[in-house]
């Protein structure tokens, strides 16, 4: 009789294993304007929401964009797990980051940077949610995400920049830059 044998002991699904390494450098600026983080929640959130990773980069023209970078990453990582479990990954990320965008835009509007928005609370951001067997990539600005497979490096994101000359370009999208919000998404 096989009534004592559990079926799940015979069926093993592959387990996702994730390693995270992080490093950032201030570059030429006196302050590091980068911020990054990740969340590996316990069940049941791990199964329903997945693993989230985010990286934000402040814009060089702003002296306060490191505040925007930290806020955007923390909002994405904390608030994503508070969204409805019935929402798709895309809807959850879009709503969370739209709220972060509005808050940062408002902070610039009510600051001394009101008339110089490129000096306000603005950053670029890339986020990744690993849920089940699907990777969801979210992107705004020019924080690039690449995939290394074997010896090949593939850029997965497209910079949100407008080129005005051979040597000059500017960001066309960033977190905190302006509403309405448009987030890039790739599965």
């Amino acid at each position: 009789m096989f009534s004592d044998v559990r079926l799940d002991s015979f069926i093993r699904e592959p387990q996702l294993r994730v390693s995270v390494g992080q490093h950032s450098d201030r570059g030429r600026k006196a302050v590091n304007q980068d911020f990054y983080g990740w969340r590996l929640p316990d069940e049941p959130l791990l199964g329903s929401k997945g693993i989230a990773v985010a990286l934000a980069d402040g814009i060089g023209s702003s002296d306060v964009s490191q505040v925007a970078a930290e806020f955007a990453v923390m909002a994405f990582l904390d608030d994503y797990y508070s969204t409805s479990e019935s929402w798709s990954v895309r809807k959850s990320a879009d709503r969370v980051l739209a709220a972060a965008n509005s808050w940062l835009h408002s902070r610039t509007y009510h600051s001394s940077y009101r008339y110089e928005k490129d000096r306000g609370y603005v950053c670029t951001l890339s986020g990744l949610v690993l849920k089940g067997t699907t990777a969801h990539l979210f992107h705004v600005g020019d924080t690039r995400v690449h995939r290394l497979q074997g010896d090949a490096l593939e850029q997965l994101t497209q910079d949100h920049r407008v080129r005005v000359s051979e040597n000059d370009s500017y960001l066309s999208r960033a977190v905190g830059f302006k509403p309405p919000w448009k987030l890039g998404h790739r599965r």
Side-chain angles (χ1 to χ4, degrees):
M1 215 174 202
F2 291 102
S3 62
D4 294 337
V5 178
R6 293 180 47 180
L7 183 60
D8 62 344
S9 65
F10 291 111
I11 302 171
R12 299 263 170 155
E13 291 188 23
Q15 294 291 319
L16 176 64
R17 292 179 50 193
V18 176
S19 297
V20 177
Q22 304 174 101
H23 175 74
S24 180
D25 185 75
R26 65 179 174 82
R28 297 178 299 211
K29 298 204 72 140
V31 175
N32 188 345
Q33 294 181 318
D34 302 338
F35 198 84
Y36 48 82
W38 62 282
R39 294 286 187 277
L40 174 60
D42 293 326
E43 290 294 353
L45 284 177
L46 179 58
S48 65
K49 290 291 188 179
I51 300 166
V53 181
L55 166 68
D57 181 20
I59 61 172
S61 59
S62 171
D63 292 330
V64 294
S65 63
Q66 72 276 7
V67 175
E70 181 177 356
F71 179 82
V73 168
M74 296 308 295
F76 180 70
L77 296 177
D78 291 342
D79 296 346
Y80 169 74
Y81 291 101
S82 298
T83 61
S84 172
E85 290 187 25
S86 67
W87 287 3
S88 68
V89 172
R90 183 176 185 168
K91 181 175 183 177
S92 295
D94 187 58
R95 295 282 174 92
V96 165
L97 290 172
N101 180 65
S102 293
W103 190 86
L104 288 169
H105 183 266
S106 175
R107 184 149 185 202
T108 295
Y109 184 79
H110 294 292
S111 75
S112 61
Y113 308 111
R114 179 179 190 170
Y115 299 107
E116 299 177 277
K117 295 193 177 20
D118 61 333
R119 298 184 51 79
Y121 296 89
V122 179
C123 66
T124 65
L125 180 130
S126 290
L128 174 70
V129 174
L130 302 170
K131 182 180 175 193
T133 59
T134 305
H136 297 265
L137 183 59
F138 302 95
H139 172 72
V140 61
D142 61 0
T143 303
R144 295 179 180 165
V145 175
H146 293 81
R147 174 176 41 206
L148 177 63
Q149 192 168 19
D151 292 335
L153 188 64
E154 176 189 6
Q155 185 173 333
L156 299 177
T157 55
Q158 297 298 316
D159 292 352
H160 296 143
R161 298 194 71 81
V162 173
R163 189 149 306 280
V164 292
S165 71
E166 185 177 323
N167 297 322
D168 296 320
S169 67
Y170 62 89
L171 281 172
S172 59
R173 288 191 233 166
V175 184
F177 187 56
K178 62 182 175 182
W181 176 253
K182 185 171 182 187
L183 179 66
H185 174 253
R186 178 178 177 175
R187 287 175 74 172

